[in-house]
Amino acid sequence: MTDIIRLLPDSVANQIAAGEVIQRPASVLKELVENAIDAGATAIDIYLKDAGKTQIQVIDNGCGMSETDARLAFERHATSKIRESKDLFSIHTLGFRGEALASIAAVAEVQVRSKRIGDELGTQVDIAATQVNGQAPVQCPDGTTFTVKNLFYNVPVRRKFLKSDSTELNHILNEFKRIALACEQVSFSIFNNRTEIYRLPAANLRQRIIHLFGNPMKQHLLSIETETTLVKVGGFIIKPDYAKKSFGEQFFFANGRFIRHPYLHKAIMQAYAGILPAEYIPGYFIYLEVPSESIDINIHPTKTEVKFEDEQAIYQIMLSSVKQVLGKFNVVPSLDFETDNSIQIPVLRPDTKISTPQIAFDDSYNPFDTSGNYRQEQRERNNLHNWESLYTGFENENRQPDIFTDTGAENEPASTANAHFQLKGKYILTPVKSGLMLIDQKRAHERILFEQYMAQIVNHSSASQQNLFPEAVELSPDELALWSELRDDFAVLGFDIGPGGGQKVNIYGHPGETGNKNPGVVFRKLLDDFRHTETDLFESRRERLAALLAQESAIRYNQPLTVEEIGHLVEKLFTCAMPNYSPTGKPVMHILKMEEIEGYF
Ligand code: ADP
Ligand code: MG
């Protein structure tokens, strides 16, 4: 019998290890930038092609590597950061496992050029799929440049799982923000396909946050500072009136490293309890300093999950310090979450003619009247059958005098078949042939609007309502980048938007159906939502935007509706091609079957 156990070749072992550390372009970026920081860089420039799928280049002015080190760096377990096991308990660098470069080189084409200060020449190493293809002396500046091309080119299954450029860029920018927020003394720039997304000068923490999240953040930061023997807490929390419904502004750092910590997040949620409505998530940038022997950062390969020795105590300290800050600044609960201070009133020039201001919104606007450009008649005809079939039979079979309602009064509805009833400002109840239909009013309206937008997109007939004065909206740098990418898509939906200089855009017109909402607020909300939805649900970016706009514009829960409005809503719903599901795939209606109802009695 021959032995069957074999050692895996390096290339295979590295590829397996890469699976843990390198999931997507953002993971490569994280590892390269962390290495640059560990190398003492004070300036880091990042150039991406196609959201990092084609290329990720990181240029630093750090300590550089010797000829031998440049080659050794790619070996698994090669690190300059720890020498013996006891070093593991006093780690001051971001990396220490010595596996990142080996992993990246296993699944991409990598080139490094590096030179130490004082060395005459630098070294270039080319490596792809763990195979060293060349090493030679080169002329290059002090510091290190890593260029990683065609990530997962040799692992097609993983390459296939990469998402759209905007999703991958979103992941990259999330990693970028985490690092930039931990190293405010380092200057950064990041470009994607030659578009500059951020240019961050070395700054203090407050400035760094504002550079990253845009000027409007300025008025919303509250500083937090507590020192105990166990932990030092510093940083900022965001005032409740600037909280968002999606994640994106929650950051914990422990000893200079971004960490995820659901348990400590709960402490903050608890501190904001009662101040924020249920769906809003408090924002924060919180920096913890603990003695390095009281934290275990080695429990996860990407090192974002950590364990504190005394988590419960830290929870309590966090809870009370956040509460204290909220109390001290006398933060009053604000109920109007739709308004946003960032909207700026346009400047009046001397030659501007002042006319009586008119409200740009159509106050006769009826959210249920979707006539106009929408080529609906055809659909209506096609679907009438669908709609009628729900009712046919109902009148003949079931319309018997009802002892409670058939009082013979004059204004009695002619037929109970058309009776609709709004329940708790949320559901519409209506009798149908097979029982009682329950319709979710918001989702129903989302579906109606969504199909209307899609029809507009197909027919190129988007209706834009012009603003009397262009509305200037200040965006954060990544919002601005996303807008330039999605500009055409916004245009087909009826947003007439142009650059407004600096970080601003001007909104000249907006889709007519956004209800009574401020177009600037709707626009920013769409950008924010766009970044936080997964693409898989939708066939195109336009479809995704149309769904988000429908979500934003649809009637809310708790909005009382008149009988006519309900009737109109139900009717429109059944002229839709897919009335059963909301654009994001949630059920719109449910029928409580007669048998089920009878079972109750
Ligand atoms: P780790 O960061 O865990 O040590 P890596 O695989 O990320 O492991 O890097 C291996 C080694 O390569 C590092 O320990 C460091 O000595 C060297 N290195 C990597 N990137 C740089 C850089 N940008 N500048 C200088 N040295 C670097
Ligand atoms: Mg590293």
Side-chain angles (χ1 to χ4, degrees), residues 358-596:
Q358 285 174 8
I359 296 163
F361 304 108
D362 177 5
D363 58 3
S364 67
Y365 164 75
N366 175 352
F368 307 103
D369 181 5
T370 48
S371 58
N373 301 319
Y374 188 35
R375 293 206 189 137
Q376 189 120 271
E377 296 84 353
Q378 187 62 38
R379 274 245 179 86
E380 260 161 38
R381 252 174 273 128
N382 292 346
N383 285 279
L384 206 57
H385 182 66
N386 188 357
W387 167 234
E388 275 173 345
S389 64
L390 278 165
Y391 284 93
T392 41
F394 180 87
E395 291 174 68
N396 306 335
E397 291 165 25
N398 298 24
R399 204 176 161 246
Q400 282 143 16
D402 183 303
I403 51 164
F404 295 109
T405 55
D406 198 46
T407 55
E410 290 263 52
N411 48 5
E412 186 72 39
S415 153
T416 44
N418 292 320
H420 303 299
F421 180 80
Q422 191 184 22
L423 180 68
K424 298 256 178 203
K426 190 167 181 195
Y427 301 106
I428 292 164
L429 309 189
T430 189
V432 290
K433 192 175 158 189
S434 53
L436 180 66
M437 181 159 61
L438 299 96
I439 300 174
D440 180 305
Q441 69 182 48
K442 180 166 186 290
R443 291 180 190 172
H445 197 209
E446 278 175 23
R447 165 53 60 186
I448 295 166
L449 289 172
F450 174 69
E451 294 204 2
Q452 181 186 332
Y453 298 144
M454 290 312 289
Q456 287 171 2
I457 291 172
V458 174
N459 300 334
H460 303 287
S461 63
S462 64
S464 180
Q465 188 168 319
Q466 293 301 302
N467 295 346
L468 190 62
F469 296 110
E471 183 185 325
V473 179
E474 175 140 12
L475 300 178
S476 65
D478 53 345
E479 283 172 338
L480 193 68
L482 183 60
W483 170 69
S484 9
E485 200 191 321
L486 298 176
R487 209 170 155 171
D488 295 344
D489 306 299
F490 271 106
V492 292
L493 279 172
F495 279 99
D496 182 2
I497 301 177
Q503 296 289 328
K504 291 193 185 126
V505 294
N506 288 325
I507 304 187
Y508 301 99
H510 59 91
E513 303 85 0
T514 45
N516 280 345
K517 295 222 181 122
N518 179 308
V521 173
V522 172
F523 170 62
R524 288 197 66 190
K525 183 79 181 23
L526 286 180
L527 284 177
D528 189 45
D529 290 347
F530 190 87
R531 283 193 293 163
H532 295 100
T533 46
E534 263 308 326
T535 43
D536 305 354
L537 275 173
F538 305 102
E539 277 181 9
S540 66
R541 301 200 300 201
R542 285 188 183 168
E543 198 179 311
R544 182 159 149 215
L545 264 189
L548 293 172
L549 180 60
Q551 243 171 18
E552 230 357 70
S553 314
I555 41 161
R556 307 274 124 174
Y557 296 124
N558 290 323
Q559 181 167 330
L561 302 172
T562 65
V563 181
E564 292 80 55
E565 284 171 334
I566 299 177
H568 205 113
L569 184 81
V570 174
E571 197 169 317
K572 284 275 181 235
L573 178 64
F574 286 99
T575 60
C576 285
M578 285 182 61
N580 287 310
Y581 292 97
S582 79
T584 49
K586 297 192 180 123
V588 169
M589 65 183 89
H590 177 77
I591 293 178
L592 207 54
K593 291 254 163 51
M594 250 350 257
E595 304 90 78
E596 229 174 305

Side-chain angles (χ1 to χ4, degrees), residues 35-36 39 60 65 73 78-81 95-101 144 146:
N35 279 346
D60 73 51
M65 286 180 270
T79 178
S80 55
K81 298 168 196 175
F96 55 84
R97 290 172 163 243
E99 59 190 3
L101 290 181
T144 305
F146 270 97

Side-chain angles (χ1 to χ4, degrees), residues 115-136:
K115 183 170 106 59
R116 296 177 298 184
I117 303 176
D119 284 355
E120 190 107 339
L121 281 177
T123 307
Q124 173 176 328
V125 179
D126 285 283
I127 181 165
T130 310
Q131 188 74 46
V132 180
N133 296 327
Q135 170 157 13

Side-chain angles (χ1 to χ4, degrees), residues 177-220:
K177 285 177 197 165
R178 292 165 182 177
I179 300 172
L181 283 168
C183 307
E184 70 274 12
Q185 71 293 348
V186 176
S187 73
F188 290 94
S189 70
I190 181 166
F191 291 75
N192 184 37
N193 296 339
R194 303 228 183 90
T195 308
E196 178 183 291
I197 304 176
Y198 287 104
R199 177 172 294 279
L200 307 172
N204 65 30
L205 180 59
R206 199 184 138 81
Q207 290 163 330
R208 175 57 54 92
I209 294 174
I210 292 163
H211 290 150
L212 274 171
F213 292 90
N215 259 330
M217 184 64 95
K218 230 181 228 166
Q219 300 103 40
H220 303 284

